[in-house]
Amino acid sequence: QVQLVESGGGLVQAGGSLRLSCAASGRTFSRYVMGWFRQAPGKEREFVAGIRWSGGITAYADSVKGRFTISRDNAKGTVYLQMSSLKLEDTAVYYCAAGARLTTWYSPNYDYWGQGTQVTVSS
């Protein structure tokens, strides 16, 4: 059974940092793209960052470039999202996702999803 379990969300002041983790289990993800998406109240789920598990190629939404960094630890089966210089507009539920045969990383057409973790940025 595939499981993606996010952790690390919380309340942080604007300008602060948080690191989200996504522990993946249940299958071999070496051919998968791992993505982070977020969804704010009343808004659609949007792509934040992605990484190809094998090779480590990354991609970012323009809104987070230079502030967020996605990485993975193969030994731990975990993907991370390091978030810095957080802004009020980064407040959302953040989801981890895994996709195998994606035509694009940017749409939420991934195969597996975690339950989400809340990130709240306060002024």
Side-chain angles (χ1 to χ4, degrees), residues 74-119:
N74 290 339
K76 295 183 178 180
T78 301
V79 176
Y80 303 99
L81 185 68
Q82 178 67 47
M83 306 185 295
S84 303
S85 302
L86 283 161
K87 304 176 180 180
L88 297 179
E89 52 264 40
D90 294 319
T91 296
V93 177
Y94 283 71
Y95 297 90
C96 175
R101 299 180 183 86
L102 301 172
T103 55
T104 173
W105 290 18
Y106 299 88
S107 296
N109 298 323
Y110 287 58
D111 301 299
Y112 304 105
W113 292 86
Q115 81 287 352
T117 186
Q118 176 71 47
V119 172

Side-chain angles (χ1 to χ4, degrees), residues 4 10 14 40 43-44 49 51-52 55-56 86 91 97 101 107 112 120 123:
L4 301 177
K43 294 188 176 182
E44 293 186 351
I51 186 168
R52 187 176 296 282
L86 283 161
T91 296
R101 299 180 183 86
S107 296
Y112 304 105
T120 302
S123 58

Side-chain angles (χ1 to χ4, degrees), residues 12-89:
V12 63
Q13 285 192 325
S17 300
L18 276 178
R19 188 178 78 159
L20 305 183
S21 300
C22 172
S25 63
R27 69 176 304 130
T28 301
F29 288 95
S30 59
R31 296 187 177 185
Y32 279 70
V33 170
M34 304 299 294
W36 284 98
F37 284 76
R38 66 186 181 188
Q39 189 166 20
K43 294 188 176 182
E44 293 186 351
R45 192 168 296 190
E46 64 173 358
F47 174 81
V48 175
I51 186 168
R52 187 176 296 282
W53 200 282
S54 176
I57 296 172
T58 59
Y60 296 91
D62 288 342
S63 58
V64 306
K65 280 181 182 176
R67 300 188 299 121
F68 291 11
T69 302
I70 189 170
S71 62
R72 86 268 192 244
D73 185 324
N74 290 339
K76 295 183 178 180
T78 301
V79 176
Y80 303 99
L81 185 68
Q82 178 67 47
M83 306 185 295
S84 303
S85 302
L86 283 161
K87 304 176 180 180
L88 297 179
E89 52 264 40

